[in-house]
Amino acid sequence: MKQTDLARDEQTIQAFMSGAGRPIRTLALLFRGHVWELLGSVFFFTLKHSPTWIIPIVTANIINLVTTGAPNTPAMILWNMAALAVVLVLNIPLNYVHTWLYAKVVRQIECDLRGALVRKLQQLSISYYSRTQSGRLQSKIIRDVEQVQTLSAQIFISVLSILTGLLVSFAVVILRSRTVFLFFVCTVPAAVLLVVLFKNRIQEDNRIFRQEVEETSARVMEMVEMIPVTRAHAQENRETRRMERQLFRVAQKGLRLDMVQTYFGSISWVIFQVFQVLCLGFTAWMAFGGHIGIGDITLYQTYFSSIVGQIANLVALIPIISKGLESVTSIGDVLREQDVEDNRKKPPIPPVEGGLDFEHVEFAYGDSKEPVLRDFSLSVKPGETIAFVGGSGSGKTTLINLAIGFLHPQKGRVCVDGHDLAGVDLTSYRKYLSVVPQQSVLFSGTIRENITYGSRDVSDEALWEVIRATNLEDVIKKLPNGLDTRITEHGSNLSGGQKQRVAIARALVRDPKIIVLDEATSALDVASERKIQDALQTLTKGRTTLIVAHRLSTIRNADRIAVVGEGGLLECGSYEELMEKKGAFYQMQTLQG
Ligand code: ADP
């Protein structure tokens, strides 16, 4: 097995692209590179499976020997049994080789699928995530890949056994008696008819069931994230009831699927049993007429029941196959998604100074027709601190996301040092950029790892400098292991303000040219905020700083204040200028007191 890498992930994604919407073709493309291992597996399977075909022949031979009473009967019986014993014992090593060959491939494909999904998740645009619940994606990575693995393994265990079983049974029978063979062949159309009748219904029910499972996964994630809010509002019962309704829906859909499958299973069982009884009557009649030996009745009966069993197995596999193919489609939905941030073939941005220009930007979110920004223009000089203010929903966060390159304007340009962001490799640009988001996101690791996330080779000196600047020194010194104390999940052992300061430290330690602070100091008490403000002022010196802030203190320190509203820039100027102007900003300030 190989670890997945870029080339392998690309190959997997390509299989889904070329197989577009055709899951069987997609599967075939995924297995394309493993033909020799798979052929080897089929070969060893045929060998290891041979006892099941040899047993009926040996049985018929022995019965025929006994009933005809030939002189060397005892010796012949012994030979027959010895031959059978040899193939039986060989089954163990042969089965090992067969499984090893196919399982290695199937596990590799499973690993490749998850690898490709993970890589794709890292490429999808931020707006994709704003419309997709994480629970749904989790369900695809875990459940759907598992279904594909089950399907692939079943192809090599059951389907192979069924196909070779059918092939050998038909071959032996055709060699022994054409008449009986013709009788056998009649069973095939019956099986095909059954499959055709039920296939669409099972597929449709599978699709509905899979979507309900995804929905549940998404809702469970949401419920867990909401638990503190739910408890605080004493809404536990309501949430539980809501979840139970969803669980009930899944159960209902699952039950419907079970019932269709079982209906299908029992009808096919009855039909095949009837065929089997008919076969017994038919071969008995032929033996009675002297056309075949008495031992051959058991031979045909065994082969026929094997054929019937194989077809029944195949039919029973249809739900699994259909589930697996549905999962291939579901994985394809993500892997084929076009809404990616494609940085390939785009040149890296030259070293950034920090000049930022919004040039006649127009931006509207996906399905809404009304643009959030219309003909918005603003020029920010390198090293300048600019604060965006405006009513809630006026588009401040949207502007910031345009500057980060998370969103792209439908009209106009966003340029950094004169380079249009649409034409440069955004990862190269973001090396010069730090973002402190509204919600500080910490991961489970040490404080040191959290602060230095995304920065390489940070010296202890530089690290302590930002720690002191963000007022974290005392906090860290009080922790049991200092900088190497582990942060529990989502940073629950830190206060809201402390988390925010860690996030600010993370932004500063990268020594960025452009800093984006999205209401970054909102979770701080007044005293800490003041300290941070002073520190930020020193630390942001010489760096372009974009701030979304409501508080007066933040706005005061900015070189310029941009008042956003009605889709454009209402006013722009220093605090004093805007207060003197007595316009929109003045009114906002007097309202805030
Ligand atoms: P602000 O940060 O000034 O409060 P935003 O930039 O977040 O405003 O939002 C501006 C407008 O865009 C709002 O009307 C908001 O409802 C809408 N909006 C924000 N994000 C999305 C989104 N992902 N999809 C659709 N509409 C959005």
Side-chain angles (χ1 to χ4, degrees):
M1 269 185 59
K2 287 188 197 129
Q3 204 181 339
T4 63
D5 55 23
L6 180 62
R8 299 186 70 81
D9 292 340
E10 296 273 319
Q11 245 174 24
T12 307
I13 294 176
Q14 199 48 47
F16 279 86
M17 290 293 187
S18 321
R22 281 169 298 171
I24 296 182
R25 188 173 141 75
T26 310
L27 260 188
L29 289 170
L30 285 174
F31 281 99
R32 193 172 46 178
H34 305 278
V35 175
W36 289 111
E37 285 122 303
L38 298 181
L39 283 179
S41 180
V42 172
F43 175 71
F44 282 100
F45 175 84
T46 322
L47 289 184
K48 78 111 195 172
H49 214 58
S50 57
T52 50
W53 320 312
I54 293 174
I55 289 172
I57 299 177
V58 169
T59 315
N61 279 348
I62 292 176
I63 294 177
N64 285 336
L65 281 167
V66 173
T67 50
T68 51
N72 56 348
T73 301
M76 287 303 289
I77 292 177
L78 277 180
W79 273 118
N80 268 288
M81 290 184 65
L84 188 58
V86 171
V87 283
L88 279 175
V89 170
L90 276 177
N91 176 272
I92 298 170
L94 293 172
N95 189 31
Y96 182 87
V97 180
H98 150 69
T99 308
W100 188 75
L101 284 171
Y102 87 78
K104 205 166 61 115
V105 174
V106 170
R107 292 289 174 193
Q108 177 73 61
I109 303 270
E110 184 186 9
C111 178
D112 286 354
L113 282 177
R114 293 209 168 102
L117 277 168
V118 166
R119 194 175 293 272
K120 185 79 183 191
L121 292 182
Q122 289 292 356
Q123 292 168 347
L124 286 166
S125 75
I126 297 294
S127 48
Y128 177 84
Y129 288 97
S130 66
R131 37 171 219 274
T132 314
Q133 289 144 308
S134 51
R136 244 174 240 282
L137 296 172
Q138 191 197 36
S139 170
K140 285 180 199 286
I141 294 188
I142 306 298
R143 181 179 174 272
D144 285 326
V145 173
E146 201 172 283
Q147 304 281 15
V148 175
Q149 188 265 331
T150 311
L151 166 68
S152 312
Q154 284 301 326
I155 291 176
F156 286 95
I157 309 166
S158 311
V159 177
L160 205 56
S161 144
I162 292 166
L163 292 183
T164 47
L166 284 175
L167 217 69
V168 170
S169 304
F170 278 123
V172 172
V173 174
I174 203 171
L175 285 176
R176 292 229 168 188
S177 161
R178 298 255 162 87
T179 326
V180 182
F181 173 74
L182 285 178
F183 180 85
F184 277 24
V185 168
C186 296
T187 52
V188 176
V192 173
L193 190 72
L194 255 180
V195 172
V196 170
L197 281 179
F198 278 87
K199 189 176 136 266
N200 287 347
R201 179 73 198 276
I202 292 183
Q203 242 171 15
E204 175 63 10
D205 281 348
N206 253 317
R207 193 182 54 78
I208 296 173
F209 182 66
R210 193 258 301 170
Q211 284 170 345
E212 285 295 339
V213 171
E214 272 185 14
E215 177 70 29
T216 312
S217 173
R219 290 219 193 160
V220 169
M221 293 276 280
E222 212 171 80
M223 187 193 83
V224 173
E225 276 167 20
M226 282 280 292
I227 277 178
V229 183
T230 309
R231 290 272 170 81
H233 291 75
Q235 293 295 311
E236 295 94 327
N237 287 337
R238 185 163 161 260
E239 281 298 319
T240 311
R241 273 199 306 276
R242 224 162 65 108
M243 203 60 223
E244 277 171 355
R245 273 201 296 276
Q246 174 61 22
L247 295 176
F248 182 65
R249 247 202 316 274
V250 177
Q252 272 182 322
K253 297 284 172 355
L255 182 63
R256 214 170 93 172
L257 187 61
D258 292 343
M259 292 325 288
V260 176
Q261 284 174 5
T262 193
Y263 188 44
F264 177 53
S266 63
I267 290 183
S268 52
W269 189 82
V270 170
I271 291 180
F272 292 132
Q273 293 309 311
V274 169
F275 268 108
Q276 199 159 345
V277 174
L278 289 176
C279 172
L280 180 63
F282 185 71
T283 48
W285 174 72
M286 286 193 57
F288 187 69
H291 304 290
I292 57 173
I294 296 173
D296 290 359
I297 298 182
T298 59
L299 179 130
Y300 290 129
Q301 194 61 24
T302 316
Y303 274 131
F304 194 77
S305 68
S306 141
I307 290 179
V308 165
Q310 308 291 15
I311 294 181
N313 284 345
L314 193 62
V315 165
L317 267 184
I318 288 182
I320 295 179
I321 295 177
S322 167
K323 236 186 245 171
L325 295 181
E326 174 57 28
S327 289
V328 173
T329 311
S330 162
I331 293 169
D333 287 347
V334 175
L335 291 186
R336 287 207 310 275
E337 177 62 54
Q338 300 288 332
D339 190 2
V340 290
E341 189 182 290
D342 194 1
N343 286 315
R344 282 174 304 181
K345 297 191 194 118
K346 288 188 184 167
I349 198 164
V352 167
E353 293 286 322
L356 188 68
D357 293 285
F358 293 90
E359 294 174 4
H360 309 287
V361 167
E362 178 168 320
F363 182 84
Y365 282 100
D367 11 321
S368 82
K369 288 189 193 80
E370 191 61 23
V372 178
L373 299 170
R374 251 176 274 115
D375 196 23
F376 182 97
S377 293
L378 175 70
S379 184
V380 185
K381 288 192 284 295
E384 194 178 14
T385 296
I386 194 142
F388 290 104
V389 298
S392 136
S394 56
K396 302 181 293 289
T397 312
T398 308
L399 274 171
I400 295 276
N401 285 333
L402 284 163
I404 302 171
F406 283 167
L407 301 175
H408 304 284
Q410 279 101 22
K411 281 189 198 154
R413 309 194 304 166
V414 179
C415 296
V416 171
D417 298 338
H419 303 283
D420 187 350
L421 284 186
V424 298
D425 178 347
L426 288 170
T427 50
S428 72
Y429 160 56
R430 293 191 191 125
K431 291 204 173 92
Y432 298 95
L433 179 94
S434 275
V435 182
V436 185
Q438 221 162 16
Q439 291 283 337
S440 325
V441 186
L442 303 189
F443 56 87
S444 40
T446 62
I447 298 219
R448 182 196 297 274
E449 285 163 352
N450 264 282
I451 296 180
T452 56
Y453 179 77
S455 321
R456 275 200 213 138
D457 310 323
V458 179
S459 68
D460 266 13
E461 211 174 281
L463 188 58
W464 279 106
E465 193 188 331
V466 293
I467 288 171
R468 271 190 294 275
T470 45
N471 252 334
L472 277 170
E473 200 175 11
D474 292 346
V475 180
I476 290 173
K477 282 194 173 147
K478 276 191 206 130
L479 290 172
N481 293 321
L483 260 179
D484 296 311
T485 308
R486 287 193 79 76
I487 293 182
T488 46
E489 206 179 342
H490 300 316
S492 55
N493 53 349
L494 294 178
S495 74
Q498 288 165 348
K499 273 192 271 186
Q500 207 161 43
R501 279 183 276 163
V502 171
I504 296 175
R506 180 192 290 163
L508 292 175
V509 87
R510 288 161 63 91
D511 191 18
K513 285 285 175 203
I514 302 178
I515 302 186
V516 171
L517 303 165
D518 191 355
E519 293 193 300
T521 53
S522 60
L524 299 179
D525 53 86
V526 178
S528 330
E529 197 199 350
R530 174 127 332 132
K531 283 190 193 162
I532 287 244
Q533 284 306 338
D534 295 343
L536 276 178
Q537 218 179 355
T538 334
L539 286 160
T540 54
K541 222 171 230 137
R543 313 177 206 263
T544 312
T545 310
L546 309 180
I547 307 175
V548 172
H550 284 305
R551 299 201 188 181
L552 196 60
S553 48
T554 341
I555 300 167
R556 265 247 158 95
N557 293 335
D559 297 321
R560 273 194 300 161
I561 295 162
V563 186
V564 185
E566 295 161 25
L569 190 61
L570 296 180
E571 289 176 340
C572 191
S574 71
Y575 181 80
E576 288 72 23
E577 279 167 19
L578 293 185
M579 287 306 272
E580 232 164 74
K581 203 171 157 197
K582 295 210 164 45
F585 181 71
Y586 176 80
Q587 274 165 16
M588 276 169 61
Q589 286 310 99
T590 35
L591 268 182
Q592 258 194 18

